[in-house]
Amino acid sequence: MRRTNQSLLLFQLGFEDVIAEPELTHSFDKVWICSHALFELSKYVIYKVLTLVLAIPMALVVGIVFATLSCLHIWVVVPFVKTCLMVLPSVQTVWKSLTDVFVVPFFQSLSRCFAMVNIRLDQE
């Protein structure tokens, strides 16, 4: 699974990034150590608890959504498109004529232009 840069930055957020206490004005060392430990522990525990609570319901919801979309695509969209193409063969003929008149000559001209390009690499 790929993560976005933003989620990576949020996940790698450190104690010093959140508590912006300047180096010259740190609180007592014991307070700093305890607050750092509490921050890291709470971040770890709350992430694990939220994952435990939300992962299974979210997986179920996303699975239902994708199953619904797949079913609609297979049983509604594709048959509708195929029916339209069978019922309206004139649309197919017009589309083919339009592409033959406008698209094919353009790309043939473009290919002839690029066919004349020669690249030569000389090593000195």
Side-chain angles (χ1 to χ4, degrees):
M1 180 182 348
R2 291 170 58 194
R3 291 187 180 149
T4 62
N5 290 337
Q6 186 178 9
S7 66
L8 282 175
L9 291 175
L10 290 176
F11 190 68
Q12 296 175 352
L13 195 62
F15 179 71
E16 292 81 12
D17 299 326
V18 176
I19 308 299
E21 198 173 49
E23 289 186 30
L24 297 176
T25 58
H26 272 273
S27 54
F28 296 112
D29 286 340
K30 298 289 182 187
V31 172
W32 182 260
I33 291 170
C34 288
S35 60
H36 186 274
L38 187 62
F39 173 82
E40 292 295 332
L41 180 68
S42 64
K43 183 176 80 168
Y44 176 78
V45 169
I46 290 175
Y47 177 78
K48 294 295 183 181
V49 168
L50 285 175
T51 303
L52 178 69
V53 171
L54 295 176
I56 293 173
M58 287 298 292
L60 179 67
V61 168
V62 171
I64 291 171
V65 168
F66 281 119
T68 305
L69 288 175
S70 296
C71 182
L72 286 174
H73 182 73
I74 292 168
W75 292 102
V76 176
V77 175
V78 172
F80 177 74
V81 170
K82 290 197 182 250
T83 304
C84 286
L85 290 176
M86 285 187 325
V87 172
L88 302 171
S90 59
V91 173
Q92 237 177 347
T93 307
V94 170
W95 182 255
K96 183 171 177 0
S97 300
L98 286 174
T99 49
D100 287 344
V101 169
F102 294 110
V103 177
V104 172
F106 172 73
F107 282 107
Q108 283 178 347
S109 300
L110 199 61
S111 67
R112 288 184 180 159
C113 289
F114 285 125
M116 302 306 279
V117 174
N118 290 324
I119 298 176
R120 188 173 56 180
L121 298 174
D122 291 334
Q123 291 183 358
E124 296 178 20

